[in-house]
Amino acid sequence: MVVAPVLPPARSGRPVRTHFALLINPFYPKDPRASYGKHVLTPSLALTSIAGATPATWEVRYWDENLLQGPPPADPVPHVVGITVHLTFARRAYQLADWYRQQGCCVVLGGLHVLSCPEEALQYADAIAIGDGGQLWPQILRDVEQGTLKQRYEADFSRPYSLDPAPRRSILPRESFLTTSSVIATRGCHNRCGFCYLSTDGLHMPYRLREVQQVTDEIAADGQPYVVFIDNNLGSRPTYLRALCEALKPLEIIWSAAVTIDVTDDPSLVREMALAGCTGVFVGFESLNGGNLTDSRKRTPAPEDYARRVAIFHRYGIQVNGSFVLGFDHDRPDVFERTVEWVEANRLECATFHILTPYPGTPLFRQFEREGRILHRDWDKYDTAHVVFQPKHMSPEELDRGYAWCYSKLFSHGSIWRRRPTDNRAVPAYLAMSYLYKRSNRFWHLLIRHRQTANVWRPLIELSRRRHLRLRKRLLILDAGGEVRATQFVRSGV
Ligand code: B12
Ligand code: SF4
């Protein structure tokens, strides 16, 4: 899980198979202090979206190096290799690009890192796609066919989202993910926090919605009982979320999504989410210190009100996975203990911790650069698990140790026990899930390698789904103040 597969020597001089495109998600090292299970929860939509936009005259294949099936295939030799690039796996992406180019393939790079560092990516590719690949990919393939390939292709994200073809999920190995149904309904976010990738220079991503019917059609077509919405913030527009929930109800699936905590402004909306099958939310609390949130320009309810809002999710049986960023300028060495204490006091079923990371091209990166606080530009380490800048009130080592301490504390037997649901009936399921997700990294390695992820999880998901259907019935007969406690196995983890 931490070392990329070794690439065999490149074999040049073989003929390429024309009209054959290989799409690759490169390997990235996983943080052994966090859960390995998270990485096979659900795939990124980047490559399935590109596959969805591929003309019918092209054969297309998917390869995800993180599924531990060895190096990517080169037999037959693909005509075109499309690689998605994030900064944490940029180095690996470039290595793969070199390897395929040596074998005569035409290599196209796209993704977030290509958008923030196009000149760097260009050195390794025949062509780069800056921005929305869904629009660019068919044009790139046409130019490959006609021998008129350009070096740069650019498209912003402003065209109506409903024009995007549905992602082609049939290219995914279904057995290798907890669910293949990564689904997106909205693009963008009503916030623009200074540390978020959405604030990257040159990224114009206005808030866009897919038609509700498109979303439910995609879900029905993939036929999975559990769906993960990978939207930055599914709750940016409450009226849309309410309509989506209404349409999801008859599908009788369970789902999770990332939302901002202000979705609890209207508890009746949270109730609608539960009635539509929502079992877990991923909430970016970021920090319990209001000064940090103001510095980041995050428009959010005050941290003092977070606890009350978490209780609203719990009231409707929705588990909360809280995301916390450590190392902001108002953070002092007590931030670690205070954050974990808060997570335990509010019984968050899960939490993820991230070391503050200045992504290139963001206001935060520029600020730290101005202040001479960027320690290095080794993108491999820009994965929110390494300290890449000089923190204000502690040393980089203290921040690193504090981050590791937070995870060791959260995954400890004592903390898992202290955060158990208040409803005793829900405790066995919670414990099973917690131990599987948080304390079984060796087991995950085996499951992933032997392509057993879906097999092991499917019965748990089905159990969760059935339990949730009963819970929805109870919820319907309770008045608005009624309480339904979290009883699910499945939580949001993206
Ligand atoms: C699903 C997801 C995951 C999954 C799968 C990741 C994977 N690479 O396999 C899991 C849960 C494993 C995961 C893990 C992590 N993730 Co993540 N993840 C996401 C999430 C929620 C959705 C990604 C997605 O599907 N987007 C939708 C697709 C369609 O958009 P897209 O990737 O930009 O692709 C479009 C274009 O860029 C372009 N394009 C992309 N690739 C290509 C390739 C070609 C050839 C072409 C032509 C075009 C093209 O076309 C696409 C269509 O327009 C995003 C947030 C988000 N909502 O985007 C975060 C996000 C990508 N993750 C992020 C991070 C930090 C991580 C972690 C490092 C967190 C951690 N500490 O564990 C890990 C490590 C994984 C990694 N290095 O990528 C950051 C990345 C920040 C950055 N600047 O790079 C994001 C943006 C979240 C955030 N708000 O900060 N993640
Ligand atoms: S609320 Fe979340 S998704 Fe929206 S800009 Fe801030 S960090 Fe990014």
Side-chain angles (χ1 to χ4, degrees):
M1 300 295 284
V2 290
V3 184
V6 178
L7 296 174
R11 289 189 291 150
S12 56
R14 292 177 302 147
V16 299
R17 173 136 145 198
T18 53
H19 292 90
F20 170 41
L22 177 66
L23 301 175
I24 301 183
N25 191 28
F27 181 90
Y28 53 89
K30 321 294 176 296
D31 182 359
R33 296 170 291 193
S35 170
Y36 285 170
K38 148 182 181 161
H39 300 280
V40 282
L41 177 68
T42 199
S44 147
L45 264 185
L47 299 178
T48 44
S49 302
I50 301 301
T54 306
T57 46
W58 281 74
E59 182 191 345
V60 62
R61 188 169 169 201
Y62 171 91
W63 188 267
D64 186 340
E65 288 203 284
N66 299 289
L67 301 179
L68 310 183
Q69 302 301 305
D75 196 7
V77 185
H79 192 174
V80 176
V81 177
I83 306 178
T84 186
V85 192
H86 288 186
L87 81 169
T88 45
F89 48 75
R91 194 199 295 259
R92 177 64 178 177
Y94 300 152
Q95 207 180 6
L96 292 171
D98 280 344
W99 190 67
Y100 278 107
R101 288 177 88 193
Q102 283 168 31
Q103 308 194 57
C105 310
C106 167
V107 172
V108 182
L109 299 179
L112 294 178
H113 187 63
V114 173
L115 189 125
S116 35
C117 298
E119 303 312 323
E120 179 189 294
L122 205 48
Q123 298 169 45
Y124 302 91
D126 294 292
I128 56 168
I130 304 172
D132 184 7
Q135 290 176 61
L136 299 173
W137 183 245
Q139 194 185 327
I140 293 172
L141 294 185
R142 232 183 355 257
D143 288 355
V144 168
E145 283 169 351
Q146 293 168 1
T148 55
L149 187 72
K150 295 187 272 296
Q151 281 198 313
R152 296 168 86 104
Y153 291 81
E154 233 167 301
D156 66 14
F157 290 91
S158 55
R159 92 168 171 179
Y161 208 5
S162 49
L163 295 181
D164 277 24
R168 207 196 292 177
R169 297 184 178 81
S170 57
I171 61 165
L172 297 168
R174 280 176 90 79
E175 68 284 1
S176 295
F177 293 100
L178 173 61
T179 174
T180 47
S181 280
S182 318
V183 174
I184 195 159
T186 67
R187 189 157 61 195
C189 176
H190 66 294
N191 260 317
R192 274 294 179 276
C193 304
F195 58 84
C196 182
Y197 83 102
L198 287 175
S199 306
T200 305
D201 286 338
L203 173 59
H204 300 294
M205 195 181 274
Y207 194 64
R208 289 282 182 266
L209 307 165
R210 274 175 84 73
E211 300 289 339
V212 165
Q213 184 71 43
Q214 284 180 310
V215 178
T216 50
D217 283 352
E218 273 184 36
I219 293 173
D222 202 35
Q224 293 270 9
Y226 174 52
V227 165
V228 178
F229 283 97
I230 55 117
D231 306 52
N232 294 303
N233 179 5
L234 191 63
S236 263
R237 192 158 309 163
T239 44
Y240 177 81
L241 177 53
R242 202 177 278 277
L244 181 66
C245 286
E246 202 49 48
L248 288 173
K249 282 180 195 167
L251 298 183
E252 300 200 334
I253 51 154
I254 50 175
W255 54 273
S256 59
V259 292
T260 40
I261 190 73
D262 50 12
V263 80
T264 54
D265 283 354
D266 179 358
S268 79
L269 179 57
V270 179
R271 183 173 182 272
E272 282 302 296
M273 289 165 69
L275 282 173
C278 179
T279 56
V281 285
F282 181 78
V283 178
F285 293 105
E286 327 300 5
S287 177
L288 300 173
N289 180 313
N292 290 331
L293 299 171
T294 311
D295 284 359
S296 314
R297 300 193 316 274
K298 179 153 182 153
R299 285 179 283 140
T300 172
E304 295 70 37
D305 199 26
Y306 281 176
R308 181 186 69 84
R309 289 169 179 269
V310 166
I312 296 176
F313 285 121
H314 284 165
R315 186 190 304 156
Y316 294 110
I318 296 178
Q319 298 195 355
V320 180
N321 182 353
S323 167
F324 298 89
V325 179
L326 304 164
F328 282 116
D329 278 1
H330 293 273
D331 287 345
R332 292 172 188 274
D334 65 346
V335 63
F336 312 109
E337 211 166 328
R338 281 195 309 110
T339 309
V340 172
E341 266 173 20
W342 190 88
V343 167
E344 289 186 353
N346 290 285
R347 294 190 171 210
L348 262 56
E349 288 80 2
C350 194
T352 50
F353 302 105
H354 305 276
I355 293 174
L356 181 66
T357 300
Y359 297 135
T362 58
L364 186 68
F365 190 90
R366 282 194 298 277
Q367 179 202 330
F368 284 172
E369 203 172 36
R370 246 187 348 261
E371 296 170 357
R373 294 167 64 188
I374 299 283
L375 296 178
H376 58 77
R377 286 163 196 250
D378 178 358
W379 303 139
D380 288 10
K381 303 277 186 300
Y382 277 60
D383 61 354
T384 79
H386 293 87
V387 185
V388 300
F389 73 104
Q390 177 61 50
K392 199 161 194 173
H393 295 299
M394 57 188 112
S395 66
E397 294 72 27
E398 269 177 299
L399 178 51
D400 181 59
R401 274 199 304 274
Y403 161 81
W405 179 86
C406 285
Y407 266 124
S408 67
K409 194 81 179 124
L410 185 86
F411 290 5
S412 69
H413 301 293
S415 180
I416 291 176
W417 181 245
R418 277 190 289 281
R419 289 179 289 111
R420 70 192 180 283
T422 48
D423 181 350
N424 284 336
R425 285 169 304 173
V427 173
Y430 161 81
L431 289 178
M433 173 63 207
S434 296
Y435 277 88
L436 192 57
Y437 192 72
K438 298 168 191 163
R439 297 193 60 103
S440 314
N441 273 354
R442 245 186 245 154
F443 181 55
W444 276 112
H445 185 253
L446 286 174
L447 285 185
I448 297 167
R449 236 188 131 115
H450 296 287
R451 297 192 281 186
Q452 293 302 316
T453 306
N455 279 343
V456 167
W457 281 88
R458 211 168 283 140
L460 297 181
I461 293 205
E462 189 48 28
L463 209 67
S464 286
R465 195 184 68 86
R466 289 196 190 159
R467 188 180 288 128
H468 200 260
L469 288 173
R470 290 198 293 275
L471 184 136
R472 282 181 228 178
K473 280 196 189 127
R474 284 193 350 248
L475 189 53
L476 275 174
I477 48 178
L478 287 173
D479 64 13
E483 187 166 333
V484 181
R485 294 170 206 258
T487 55
Q488 289 74 48
F489 283 101
V490 179
R491 65 176 105 255
S492 169
V494 175

